[in-house]
Amino acid sequence: MTACAIENGTAEATGAAPDAGSTANTGETVLEDSAPDDPPDDPGGPGGASPGAPPVAPAFTISADGSYAARLALAGVTADPSEGAGGAGEAWFVERWTLDGHEPYAVPLPLDQPEEPDSEVLPLADGRVLIRRRVADRHAVSLLYPTGPGTGELPLGAVECAELTLLPPSPDGVSAYALSAGPRATSVWLVAGGAFGPELVAEVPGRCSGGVWLDRAGRMLALDREMPGGGPVKAVAVDLERGGEVTPLLQIAPDSNDRLLLADPDSGLLLIRSDAPGHDRLGWGVLGSCLPVRFPECLRPADVAVTPFAVQPGQMLMPESCAVALRIDGSAGSWVGVWRPAGRRLHQLAAPEGWQAGRGVWTRDGVLRLPYAGGDVACGVALLEAPADEEPGAWPSSGCGAGSGMQPSAGAVPLPVCKPVPLGQAPLTGRMVPG
């Protein structure tokens, strides 16, 4: 998809936490965006840590099929029993969660040495957990797995570079990729699933960040790219089976920063962050469509930051009906938002205590599974059914006051009849732009 225009909406949204009641949103809020070289899905939230706050825990990552999750957890340790309380402390270790059974459970995967908090973990579909560790000027990659009472480790090799960031789990469930961004080019590494350890699979000109999979095969990868010398950040598609061939993906306005946050391969729904409307806004579009990107008003409630983290799968050719889960961060903490492109509002719901904020998985029938840990529950999954919209499936009128977030911000302009085209063939010029 190459987006070519902007649409806006006027729907009402609530800006308070779920337990603070519903109030209409009448003011505008600028949503801060991450810098181009920030890692994706920063667990600290859009606003970052507040002064004096405890260190932010490493990210909680769910496998592509939703069956496993992994994180770094803290456990109390004693360096030497003879030292008594003076030798006590806390250390990081890998913890794997099993999420697809009748009852979720966690398995600790400690080794002889504690892990560093800047290590990254990523669960595979077979239950093994990949870990990336910084060792001097290189990054070592291993697979961890339970072996009876202990933990097995399979070293996969190392990548020599200044920075290496794991990409989200590959849809095939067995491969893992990582980005190494340099000043003029970004390397894409296959760090698990190859035949001979880490393999360089693509070199993309420019400095890239983010990472969103566009298909179920793990071939098409979307990255947010800034070209050498500066300029706007634009999402591009990288074909990993064609040597890293790059195709423009988002071109909303010539000078706008257009980032891709989420994509659903079944429906083609894309969640986008762009400053094309004048400041950073959340919007949506459809992969392979010539229709313009839309920026619903309900996705910018006042005094909070909103970040999408999961899209309902299985809605074939029905992007407007997909439920989208969003993390909402405000002064009261973090809670859950649910929104559909065809709906008229952003539903705001309380999250379970101890929620791994910004993490969750949709089932095909519209149930959101939210992992949490707290109190007497070391590993839990809360089930949240997507609320129904006021008029499910009803399309609003085309008037400027429809309040659905789906009407154009300028006067209505007839659009040419466009059929969806395959990725990489969407024209960049010669299209009509509303307004």
Side-chain angles (χ1 to χ4, degrees):
M1 169 192 176
T2 305
C4 59
I6 303 169
E7 292 196 5
N8 192 8
T10 57
E12 291 186 346
T14 56
D19 57 354
S22 294
T23 57
N25 172 26
T26 57
E28 293 189 357
T29 300
V30 177
L31 300 181
E32 297 293 339
D33 197 14
S34 300
D37 56 351
D38 282 349
D41 295 327
D42 181 6
S50 60
V56 175
F60 181 95
T61 307
I62 302 176
S63 63
D65 62 357
S67 57
Y68 294 99
R71 67 170 181 168
L72 290 181
L74 277 174
V77 296
T78 301
D80 188 335
S82 63
E83 297 179 5
E90 290 185 322
W92 295 101
F93 69 94
V94 178
E95 184 177 74
R96 189 199 71 188
W97 290 29
T98 300
L99 303 177
D100 60 349
H102 293 293
E103 185 173 343
Y105 62 93
V107 175
L109 297 175
L111 294 171
D112 294 337
Q113 295 292 326
E115 305 292 349
E116 295 296 327
D118 63 348
S119 298
E120 292 181 292
V121 294
L122 186 149
L124 303 182
D126 61 5
R128 294 183 296 176
V129 177
L130 181 137
I131 183 168
R132 176 207 58 80
R133 305 181 180 100
R134 179 186 290 275
V135 181
D137 58 348
R138 60 194 179 97
H139 298 263
V141 183
S142 297
L143 288 173
L144 305 181
Y145 53 91
T147 57
T151 301
E153 180 173 11
L154 175 63
L156 299 179
V159 178
E160 293 188 8
C161 60
E163 299 293 336
L164 189 72
T165 303
L166 293 181
L167 287 168
S170 173
D172 66 9
V174 298
S175 304
Y177 293 83
L179 284 185
S180 175
R184 304 194 62 82
T186 298
S187 302
V188 182
W189 291 87
L190 174 65
V191 295
F196 306 104
E199 302 175 16
L200 180 63
V201 295
E203 285 275 359
V204 182
R207 184 173 180 84
C208 298
S209 61
V212 176
W213 295 102
L214 299 174
D215 62 354
R216 294 290 183 194
R219 170 178 175 175
M220 302 301 300
L221 174 67
L223 297 173
D224 300 328
R225 178 175 71 169
E226 181 182 15
M227 293 301 293
V233 177
K234 299 289 186 182
V236 297
V238 180
D239 191 336
L240 299 182
E241 290 190 5
R242 300 187 65 176
E245 181 180 88
V246 177
T247 305
L249 184 62
L250 293 177
Q251 297 281 347
I252 301 178
D255 298 325
S256 61
N257 294 291
D258 308 323
R259 294 177 171 88
L260 182 63
L261 304 182
L262 286 178
D264 175 52
D266 295 336
S267 64
L269 179 65
L270 304 180
L271 276 299
I272 296 158
R273 187 185 295 279
S274 173
D275 59 7
H279 51 268
D280 279 337
R281 294 281 299 274
L282 286 181
W284 69 278
V286 180
L287 186 66
S289 172
C290 289
L291 294 176
V293 172
R294 298 168 175 88
F295 294 89
E297 190 75 13
C298 65
L299 293 185
R300 57 167 189 170
D303 302 322
V304 296
V306 179
T307 308
F309 64 86
V311 181
Q312 180 185 359
Q315 309 300 298
M316 302 300 295
L317 304 179
M318 298 172 59
E320 297 86 0
S321 65
C322 288
V324 178
L326 306 104
R327 169 180 171 173
I328 305 177
D329 294 286
S331 59
S334 299
W335 59 98
V336 181
V338 176
W339 165 84
R340 296 180 184 86
R344 296 177 179 271
R345 58 174 295 191
L346 172 64
H347 302 274
Q348 301 193 42
L349 308 166
E353 183 179 357
W355 175 41
Q356 303 294 316
R359 300 296 185 266
V361 177
W362 283 106
T363 65
R364 290 177 177 264
D365 55 356
V367 176
L368 181 60
R369 299 169 56 86
L370 299 174
Y372 70 96
D376 297 332
V377 181
C379 171
V381 175
L383 305 181
L384 191 156
E385 189 169 353
D389 292 312
E390 295 177 2
E391 299 179 19
W395 287 88
S397 64
S398 58
C400 293
S404 67
M406 301 183 68
Q407 68 275 11
S409 56
V413 177
L415 291 175
V417 177
C418 298
K419 294 182 179 180
V421 294
L423 184 68
Q425 298 179 19
L428 296 178
T429 59
R431 285 173 294 180
M432 299 179 67
V433 179

